Structures are given as C-alpha cells and as structure tokens.
C-alpha cells in the first residue's frame, strides 16, 4: 500500500509520474535503450531537456526577460555561486536571516562576497519573517537575499519585501507552489526535491540583464551566463532528474497549474493549522500566524512522550515522514504539491483522535 | 530490440541493472514509496548510499587512506574545486595538456589558482601522451594534473608519470576500467556517466592527509573536507544517480571486478585496433600506438563520404553512437564496461564488410 508521505524532502511525487517513468525506463519510446543511456546531445534527450526548461518557465509564469538554468549541486552550491556571480568590487549582499537555511546562505556566501544580515530573527526564535520596514539596507547593497520558506522552522514570506534593491530568493521548499512578483526579483533558485522532482538538480531563474553583468572570472561551471547561453548543456546535465522534473511540471499543468497548486497548498495547510488552533493548546505552533508556512507545518504536543506516541500512531495509520527536525523536535507535516488531500485528511483525523484520547 | 550503443557518454549500462531498477522503482522493496521519494536521512536510503560509497572504494581498490565523495556538478565543477581546495598561497598546479578535456581543466582551474602547462601536445595534434621525462615541473608545484583518457582524441596514459609531485587524475572516461598506482595520486575524480551509471554524480577519491590541509575559506559545497566528513550527505545528494552507481558497482563485482573490466577493455579495443591495422590504411587512426585509448577508438575512412556511408550502414545494423566528435569527424567507438563484446564483434564485422565493398 502506498504511504501517506509527509517527508520534508526528498518527498512524495505524483504516482502517475512514477508509473509513467517506470514503464518507459528500460526502452525509452522504442529507442532500444534507456533515456539515461543516450548522449545528452541526441535529439531525443534534447527534446526532453528543452521541454523541461520551457515548462519550468511557463508553469512558474517567469517573464521573457528571465532565463532558467538547471544545475547540479543543489541550492547549497548556489549559496556560493550567487555572490560569486552577482557582486562586483565594492558591492554588498544583504541577507534576511529567518532560520537555518537563511543562515547557511549567509555564512556560505560570505566566503565569496561582502555580505551582511539585514535582519535576524534568531533572538526571537525564528518564529516570523520581518516587515519591509524592519529590514535595514546598507549603502552599496546589490541584492537582498530572502528564504521564501524555511523548511525547518515552518515560516514563510506571505509577502515579499519591497526595499528598493532587487531580491534573490531561495525557494527550495515552496518552489512553484505560489505566484511571485517577478518585478521584485533578480534571481530565484532552489533544489527540485520538494515540489518538482527527485534530488539532483537545482533550478535557477535569473534576469537576463543581470546575466550581462555577472562575473566572468570563474571556472565555467560556476558561471550562470555560460549555463544560460548553452541551455544548461554546457556540460553533461543531470539527465534523469531533469527528465523527471519535466514530467512533474506536465503533471502540474494537468492539475490546473500554479494557481491550483497555490490554492491547494493554502487549503491543505489550513486544515492542519485549523486543527492546531481548535485544540485548546494541545497542539502548539511557535510560528506567528502571519508567517505560517503553507509547506511545512511544525507543531508540538504537550510532552515529548506524547510527541512520540503521536508519531507511533501515525505510523500505524500508514503515514510517514512526520517526525520533526532533529534540532526542533515535535511533528513536522510537509505538504508539498504532490501530497494528496486525503493524506491531510488522515492527519487531521489522527490529530482529533489522538487529542480526544490524550488531552 | 536493444541497440549496440557506442555512445561516448551518457552511454550503455548493464541491462540487468536497468531491469532491476525498473522493477523496484515505484514501490522500493515494499516501502510504499519510491526510493526517490524518501528522505535522504532515512535508514533505507542510508544503506543504499553507504553501500555505493563502500563499493566504489572496494571495486576500485582504493587504499584505506583515501576517502570517496559523491558530488553534483560533474567533472566540470571539479576543474574549479581542485585548485580552490588544494593550492595554498605560493603553490602552483601543473597540467599535462593532452586534448580538449585537459585544456578545459587548465583554463577553468586558472581562475582559482596559479596553474601552468607542464606539457602540451597541441602542436602535435594531441596524438599521444608525454613520457615522464618530457613533463617540466616548475618550483612550488603542489600537484600534476593528468587526464587519464581523452574521450575526444582517443588517447590515454598507459602508464602514469612519476615526476616527484603527486598526481590529480581526471578519470571521467576510464574510471574503474583499470587499476591505478594509488601511491602516485592525491586525488582522482570523474563523472559517473561513462562506466559507472547515469549522469548526475561525480565521484572523487582524495587522500585523507590532503583533506587535513584543504582550504576552509570556501562555501560548504566547494569543500572536499566537509563532504568527506559527512559521507557525502552534507546536503541532499543526487539520490537516484548514487543508487544506480551502487547497482553498477555490484554488477561489476558479479562480473569479476576491476581486473576483468581491464582485460575486457583491452580485448574489446584490441579487436577494433586490429581491424584498423589490418585494413591497409582504409581505416586510419591518428593516435600513436602506445597512447591508444582502451575506451574511445577514433578513426577515419578515406573520405567524408565513406565516413557517412559507414555510419549509415552501422545504423542499419542496429549500432548507434558511432559518429565522431564534432571537431574531429570520422568514427568514434566508445567501448565502456557495459558494452557487450557482441557489439564489438558486430562493429568489426561491419568494418571488414564495408572495406571489402568500398576499398
């Protein structure tokens, strides 16, 4: 029986996509070989690759003046590549520190450019994102980096801040789950392994006018302009991950596209937050209401024993991946695009039953 | 019908591996989900990951004082990471330039360290590798970079040069097809997509004493020491590619391991070179005999028309991927580990038939 998979990533993918990929794996559309055995310069792979790139732009609604690149190394490599590529002498990068991922983006990037924290929620326990007014932009700032959704803390920007410098957004954990105001952004990036496919590929959108000014004094793999000019085929791309991303994007289209994903995410997370809010404090969320993530709902029960009991009962009810992050504990329900609403219904039912039995 | 796939990479993989991966793709060993949907911190994926790492070391015969890391970004990212990590102030990297790949390693790396060409075969048309005596090592050289096999030119080091500084080896196109003298090396790297699996993962072996001295002033993804200390799980690894590499390594073991791969490569390439040598100049190789690649046999027919006719006949006989590289033309037969000897027999038969008909 297929599990209700609440894993924070890698995570659940559409069953129809998995079954289609399985069926065509050994002999790809009668080619006499698997897609992963073909030259990445073959016309067959080229069609798969270019379709995935085009769909990434169309599904996400990226304007024509943005390019998309598919890279290996995940969002973690992007932490270094962003300041490497975007900062010239004398320019600085500003970072909104909203949790573990934003902290990593800042500390990693600091080896490759002059960066600073424009706001840091650490003293408040990372329970919210700042307002635009709270973000302090210093002179010579080239960009403001924001982490759209913090997977571990379970907070998100409901509105992206307009502070007079363009944004760079890490959207790893809510990529293509929401429309974004492209005018505010110069660059958007993230790993595919939450909402878009298996692990192994990062997707970066970058404004074309920015590509004209990026640093050229870097090894080729570290240059956005080269990847963009070669349609992410400068070197051998991560073929299988890109192929799967293309299929997931096609599935998203078939479901109605980004707007449907966004409303489903709001609905699914709303069901869990409602269960928390209606529990008379049995289930507790540390996150400020207006910063609540639509992807990762983090909550605690009244004791660690009850946390453990809840997780054990979840396992008995065919749910997996609900254990909270190591440093946070409690429960984390990740509700990515491919998680069916039936899984959320089952979780909410568990929350009601477990509270009745233990409150 | 399954093609005889002579592609230079991505390329043919063992059919048994593909079929096994297909069978267990949607529901991995009864887990109720695909392996690519599982957390990379799950015990199930951890077992797959650690087995692939252990088998990479055991199949290749890496000594205990080497670590192995699995990374995204391919060998191209390694071109930058190697000088970034290995060179301290005042140290230089030396490069043996044997063709297109060595040239890229040198030019890319030059943005990240003080590098120089210790030998360059360009004026000779890249038809051989140098002897150790021809390689000029300058003062303060930290390492000598060699490209074990040049995929495009079809040449290889039959013996690795002992020049008094340790080697860094790009083995992308003959990885785990031959035993290497580990004492000579500090680092060996390469993409998986020729002999080891699908595209999307680079495998780097690095001497542990070197890891103690690598540069720490880099973003985490760019640091070998971090990846090694975290068993290549610092961030989300390219799960599917690593899983497939593990299966291919297991298949290699079942075939008899590295020594069998090495003798088969010698035998398979020998069959094609014999056909060239016996053709009275109808088939011409520009490569010096003692530098002949065991992986990529590059040859030309007397005219471009005959090249094209040969390739057309190959297609009719169920062979694919034989077209020479864009800048080289002619024919390139890539004979990686998973290419069955029956494919080579078919190629040799074609060579005899086509010559009889056209000489």
């Amino acid at each position: 029986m297929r599990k209700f998979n609440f894993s924070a990533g890698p995570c659940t993918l559409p069953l129809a996509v998995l079954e289609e990929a399985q069926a065509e794996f050994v002999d790809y559309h009668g080619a006499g070989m698997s897609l992963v055995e073909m030259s990445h310069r073959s016309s067959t792979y080229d069609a798969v690759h270019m379709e995935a790139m085009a769909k990434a732009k169309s599904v996400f609604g990226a304007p024509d003046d943005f390019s998309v690149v598919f890279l290996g190394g995940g969002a973690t490599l992007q932490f270094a590549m962003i300041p490497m590529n975007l900062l010239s002498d004398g320019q600085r990068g500003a970072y909104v520190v909203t949790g573990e991922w934003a902290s990593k983006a800042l500390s990693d990037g600091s080896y490759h450019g002059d960066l600073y924290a424009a706001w840091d929620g650490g003293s408040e326990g990372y329970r919210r994102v700042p307002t635009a007014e709270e973000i302090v932009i210093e002179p010579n700032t080239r960009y403001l980096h924001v982490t759209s959704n913090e997977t571990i803390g379970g907070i998100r920007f409901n509105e992206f801040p307009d502070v007079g410098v363009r944004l760079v957004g890490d959207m790893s954990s809510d990529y293509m789950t929401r429309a974004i105001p492209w005018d505010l952004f110069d660059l958007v990036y993230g790993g595919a392994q939450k909402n878009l496919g298996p692990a192994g590929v990062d997707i970066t959108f970058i404004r074309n006018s920015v590509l004209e000014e990026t640093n050229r004094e870097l090894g080729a793999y570290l240059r956005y302009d080269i990847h963009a000019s070669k349609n992410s085929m400068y070197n051998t791309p991560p073929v299988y991950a890109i192929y799967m991303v293309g299929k997931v994007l096609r599935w998203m289209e078939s479901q109605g596209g980004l707007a449907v994903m966004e409303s489903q995410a709001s609905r699914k997370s709303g069901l869990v937050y409602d269960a928390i809010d209606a529990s008379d404090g049995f289930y507790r969320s540390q996150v400020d209401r207006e910063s609540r993530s639509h992807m990762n709902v983090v909550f605690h029960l009244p004791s660690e024993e009850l946390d453990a009991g809840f997780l054990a009962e979840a396992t008995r009810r065919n749910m997996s991946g609900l254990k909270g992050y190591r440093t946070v504990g409690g429960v984390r329900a990740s509700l990515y695009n491919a998680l069916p609403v039936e899984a959320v219904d089952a979780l909410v039912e568990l929350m009601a039953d477990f509270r009745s039995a233990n409150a």
Side-chain angles (χ1 to χ4, degrees), chain A:
Chain A
M1 186 165 63
R2 192 157 159 83
K3 285 270 196 331
F4 288 139
N5 181 357
F6 293 90
S7 173
C11 60
T12 195
L13 295 172
L15 180 59
V17 165
L18 296 173
E19 287 176 340
E20 192 177 287
Q22 180 179 46
E24 66 193 22
F25 183 62
V26 171
D27 186 3
Y28 186 77
H29 295 199
M33 64 183 75
S34 174
L35 186 73
V36 300
E37 299 181 288
M38 286 180 201
S39 168
H40 57 296
R41 309 291 179 195
S42 66
S43 59
T44 304
Y45 177 68
D46 193 66
V48 168
H49 185 95
M50 295 309 289
E51 190 203 347
M53 302 249 295
K55 284 218 185 302
K57 286 191 69 175
S58 64
V59 169
F60 203 19
D64 284 344
D65 56 336
F66 275 76
S67 292
V68 62
V69 295
F70 287 176
L71 298 172
T76 303
L77 177 59
Q78 301 302 297
F79 295 162
M81 281 178 65
I82 287 160
M84 274 183 184
N85 277 269
L86 265 55
L87 296 182
S88 307
D89 275 355
Q91 292 184 325
R92 308 187 69 194
Y95 284 66
V96 177
V97 184
T98 42
E100 185 144 345
W101 289 108
S103 297
K104 281 191 177 177
L106 172 56
S107 61
D108 264 25
S110 292
Y111 293 108
H112 305 284
D114 181 8
L115 312 185
Y116 67 94
W119 185 82
D120 191 326
S123 62
E124 301 178 3
Y126 295 127
R127 58 180 175 73
R128 67 180 182 98
V129 301
T131 63
E133 294 68 36
E134 291 176 295
I135 297 168
V136 179
I137 300 296
E138 298 183 7
N140 304 316
T141 296
R142 167 66 187 81
Y143 62 81
L144 176 67
H145 183 282
V146 294
T147 307
S148 176
N149 182 79
E150 284 279 358
T151 326
I152 293 171
I155 66 178
R156 80 156 191 164
F157 280 93
N158 274 300
E159 244 179 274
F160 290 102
D162 184 352
V163 293
V165 296
R166 284 254 177 71
L167 302 179
V168 166
D170 177 358
M171 294 197 75
S172 292
S173 53
D174 64 353
Y175 227 169
M176 304 210 198
T177 69
R178 59 190 300 190
I180 64 164
W182 287 95
D183 283 354
L184 293 184
F185 285 88
D186 265 352
L187 189 150
V188 179
Y189 70 102
Q193 69 269 19
K194 317 282 190 188
N195 288 292
L196 291 167
V201 63
D202 158 88
I203 303 177
T204 293
F205 293 87
I206 185 166
R207 190 179 287 277
N208 289 334
S209 60
V210 172
L211 283 175
E212 287 167 22
E213 297 165 2
T214 50
N215 181 11
R216 266 66 171 160
E217 303 292 308
L218 298 167
Y221 201 84
L222 299 168
R223 286 175 55 178
Y224 291 125
D225 66 315
I226 286 184
H227 291 295
S229 71
K230 301 289 190 186
N231 289 320
S232 309
M233 291 256 237
Y234 172 74
N235 68 333
T236 315
V239 164
Y240 190 78
I242 292 171
Y243 154 78
M244 288 292 286
V245 165
K247 278 197 189 299
V248 172
L249 289 165
R250 218 187 290 163
W251 171 84
M252 282 177 64
E253 276 185 344
S254 75
Q255 301 296 302
L258 194 64
V260 170
M261 297 297 129
E262 186 161 11
S263 68
Q264 284 186 349
S266 176
R267 179 174 159 226
K268 289 189 291 187
S269 59
L271 289 171
V272 186
Y273 288 120
D274 286 349
I276 291 171
D277 293 341
S279 74
D280 275 334
F282 186 77
Y283 301 111
R284 288 168 296 111
S285 161
Q286 295 191 325
V287 173
D288 281 13
R289 185 171 290 262
E290 63 277 15
S291 294
R292 283 174 165 180
S293 169
H294 291 194
M295 293 290 120
N296 314 98
V297 182
V298 177
F299 60 92
H300 288 76
L301 283 78
S303 70
E304 286 185 20
E305 288 67 33
L306 286 168
D307 287 341
F310 183 91
L311 293 168
E313 181 58 22
T315 302
R316 274 190 291 274
R317 295 187 184 198
N318 198 39
M319 296 176 230
S320 79
L322 282 165
K323 193 173 182 196
Y325 187 76
R326 182 171 42 82
T327 57
V328 176
V331 178
R332 172 171 56 175
S334 295
L335 316 170
Y336 298 124
N337 283 345
L339 186 81
V341 72
E342 292 75 26
V344 181
D345 291 340
L347 173 62
V348 168
E349 190 180 325
L350 165 62
M351 290 174 76
D353 293 350
F354 195 84
R355 182 181 154 225
S356 294
N358 293 280

